[in-house]
Amino acid sequence: AQRVTQPEKLLSVFKGAPVELKCNYSYSGSPELFWYVQYSRQRLQLLLRHISRESIKGFTADLNKGETSFHLKKPFAQEEDSAMYYCALSAYGAQKLVFGQGTRLTINP
Amino acid sequence: ETGVTQSPTHLIKTRGQQVTLRCSSQSGHNTVSWYQQALGQGPQFIFQYYREEENGRGNFPPRFSGLQFPNYSSELNVNALELDDSALYLCASSLAEESQNIQYFGAGTRLSVL
């Protein structure tokens, strides 16, 4: 079975501080991992995916197969990063996404 | 390029009734997935349609059914509504032939069952 766990429902940090949103997954095959973000009054949108190894809006995420983790990191948080963040997993070749319960990130000025 | 659109935005029904939610996929996309998002939870996969056929289903009862039309738009039908069906229903479209598996989401339909 595929499962995604985001242990923190709420995370609050000050502007300029580093941010790390945790994501752990359970899947025996080769997963595709994603981070989706939902800003206030906007729709859910893709932030980044592990396969592209890119940095979007200063965020990066590294897939650690040994620890089955895909934590999202940003060295210096900005107020506009406040949003709901969802980690999601897809089995390789499938298009079904399995989401974690989400982490609400609040950046304090 | 038009994005994913869903209608209606809000809906109120009573227990036992039936409801139909609609989704227009993003231009060029041929796959539509439906998700249910209960309050405080992440989206949960209901099913997916590809070329008018169901192409995968989550752990939802048969009273949740769907359709995809030749223009790739889709409907989600729920029969015999229960109170627990109250949720945000999200539609996402994608291109099956694209290996990147990027899904584009609509704004959702919020269903309240009284």
Side-chain angles (χ1 to χ4, degrees), chain B residues 1-56:
Chain B
E1 180 179 280
T2 56
V4 178
T5 58
Q6 293 186 242
S7 63
T9 53
H10 295 85
L11 203 51
I12 299 175
K13 292 285 188 178
T14 56
R15 195 170 49 182
Q17 284 189 311
Q18 178 266 343
V19 69
T20 297
L21 310 182
R22 295 179 174 84
C23 172
S24 293
S25 60
Q26 182 165 308
S27 176
H29 286 178
N30 55 16
T31 302
V32 172
S33 302
W34 286 92
Y35 294 83
Q36 181 194 65
Q37 186 174 18
L39 200 61
Q41 301 296 318
Q44 188 174 358
F45 177 74
I46 303 175
F47 45 53
Q48 182 183 91
Y49 277 82
Y50 170 61
R51 291 188 176 178
E52 304 177 56
E53 297 285 334
E54 188 177 286
N55 182 40

Side-chain angles (χ1 to χ4, degrees), chain A residues 30-77:
Chain A
S30 294
E32 294 184 47
L33 274 299
F34 306 83
W35 276 98
Y36 277 80
V37 61
Q38 187 167 26
Y39 300 104
S40 179
R41 299 189 189 87
Q42 295 187 27
R43 62 187 62 191
L44 197 60
Q45 59 186 283
L46 178 68
L47 179 63
L48 56 78
R49 49 204 163 98
H50 90 273
I51 202 166
S52 61
R53 294 179 172 270
E54 57 201 343
S55 173
I56 303 293
K57 299 185 179 183
F59 284 98
T60 58
D62 291 319
L63 177 60
N64 186 325
K65 291 189 177 180
E67 296 183 358
T68 59
S69 67
F70 187 56
H71 303 328
L72 183 67
K73 299 177 184 178
K74 183 169 183 176
F76 306 104

